Amino acid sequence: MTTLAAIEDLSVAFRQGSRSVTALDSVNLTINSGERLAIIGESGSGKSTLALALAGLLPASAEQIGKIHWPNGRPLPGRDIGMVFQDPSASLDPVLTIGEQVAEGAVAHLGLDWKAARLRARDLLARVQLPDPQSLLHAFPHQLSGGQRQRVAIAAAIAAGPVLLIADEATSALDTIVQAEIVALLRSLVAEEGMTLLFITHDIALASSLADRIAVFRQAKLVEIGTSADITRHPREFYTASLLAAHIDLTTPPLIGERA
Ligand SMILES: Nc1ncnc2c1ncn2[C@@H]1O[C@H](COP(=O)(O)OP(=O)(O)OP(=O)(O)O)[C@@H](O)[C@H]1O
Ligand SMILES: [Mg+2]
């Protein structure tokens, strides 16, 4: 097992006028190459801040202490790290064709000319299982459903062949059937491309169905990490148990009895 990134004592605070909000507090976490790691936790626990810190995309108002060590070299956001967010409309430009947006990453980071990049875009649209990729190249985002737009956003995120794909609540706005389809797509893409997946979600059931390991965040701290099986069967933290209790289908009755 090789290390993709070693996060050491990472703290991030945001200045808000005279106040400072701690978004991450002394986080230590090793991300293994090729693993599917889920980050779960309540709203405001620091999940997105962790993703932005990894991608080197924290805003100027953020104060970061601690280190992120990349044994294979510091990645370039957009090329080595692809990101997919909750709202695909936010990452897709309404006035650019689907082909232009997916090809853009290949032009910017792989040095392809537009003709070659459009061919790659067509292949990527097929990889994310969108129908009729050739005509889709000329379509605009508003002509697609939410689930289809999220597939386009995933195609754009992997256009430059990233080593790490970060999906930040990427399925939260979708209905459960489309959500399951996108999760299945992410699973097969990361396996085929040998990517590492950081899957950020509120949903512990979704996390355990997809991830090898789950890291639980609460109030800026990493409170628990383990294999998906360990976290769902033997949570050490009361907070994790309470997240599980909200998904009783994942736990055995004695566990709920003990922890409640
Ligand atoms: N750009 C920013 N400026 C000021 N404060 C911020 C900024 N980004 C995040 N924060 C604060 O940092 C803390 C962690 O936020 P973060 O967005 O990482 O949480 P999260 O776990 O992703 O939440 P959610 O599940 O709602 O997306 C919160 O208190 C938030 O208000
Ligand atoms: Mg977030």
Side-chain angles (χ1 to χ4, degrees):
M1 197 153 35
T2 59
T3 297
L4 178 74
I7 299 167
E8 291 167 13
D9 265 330
L10 181 70
S11 295
V12 175
F14 290 100
R15 280 189 307 276
Q16 287 180 343
S18 56
R19 262 173 15 103
S20 171
V21 176
T22 302
L24 291 176
D25 187 357
S26 304
V27 170
N28 287 287
L29 171 63
T30 298
I31 302 175
N32 302 317
S33 292
E35 77 169 330
R36 298 184 303 266
L37 174 64
I39 307 286
I40 66 167
E42 63 203 357
S43 187
S45 56
K47 305 181 299 294
S48 295
T49 303
L50 181 78
L52 292 175
L54 277 166
L57 295 174
L58 283 172
S61 63
E63 285 165 13
Q64 178 178 333
I65 7 178
K67 277 198 301 224
I68 303 178
H69 181 59
W70 301 90
N72 302 315
R74 177 167 287 280
L76 201 66
R79 187 190 68 185
D80 304 318
I81 301 183
M83 295 185 86
V84 188
F85 300 98
Q86 178 166 346
D87 178 9
S89 311
S91 44
L92 298 178
D93 189 327
V95 299
L96 289 183
T97 64
I98 301 299
E100 286 167 323
Q101 337 219 6
V102 177
E104 198 175 30
V107 171
H109 297 296
L110 299 181
L112 299 185
D113 62 30
W114 275 99
K115 193 165 174 233
R118 247 193 309 276
L119 286 177
R120 177 156 171 85
R122 194 188 61 194
D123 290 347
L124 285 162
L125 293 173
R127 298 282 325 272
V128 297
Q129 295 153 22
L130 281 163
D132 196 1
Q134 182 60 39
S135 21
L136 209 54
L137 288 176
H138 308 287
F140 289 92
H142 74 266
Q143 296 172 274
L144 306 180
S145 71
Q148 289 174 327
R149 278 200 289 269
Q150 199 56 294
R151 288 176 190 271
V152 172
I154 293 169
I158 63 170
V163 288
L164 173 63
L165 181 63
I166 300 178
D168 188 348
E169 304 281 3
T171 61
S172 304
L174 305 170
D175 69 54
T176 36
I177 292 173
V178 180
Q179 188 175 64
E181 288 169 1
I182 297 286
V183 164
L185 173 67
L186 288 172
R187 178 192 285 277
S188 63
L189 281 178
V190 294
E192 286 158 18
E193 307 282 326
M195 288 185 288
T196 304
L197 177 69
L198 197 74
F199 185 78
I200 298 174
T201 177
H202 286 94
D203 187 336
I204 194 167
L206 198 59
S208 72
S209 73
L210 176 63
D212 305 307
R213 290 196 302 158
I214 298 178
V216 184
F217 278 72
R218 184 171 193 228
Q219 294 175 353
K221 287 193 160 70
L222 171 61
V223 292
E224 180 161 13
I225 182 163
T227 63
S228 296
D230 274 353
I231 293 284
T232 50
R233 286 187 209 139
H234 315 287
R236 279 177 283 123
E237 293 290 322
F238 181 78
Y239 175 65
T240 312
S242 65
L243 289 178
L244 283 163
H247 283 282
I248 39 178
D249 50 321
L250 276 177
T251 54
T252 56
L255 178 66
I256 294 170
E258 280 161 24
R259 303 272 168 169

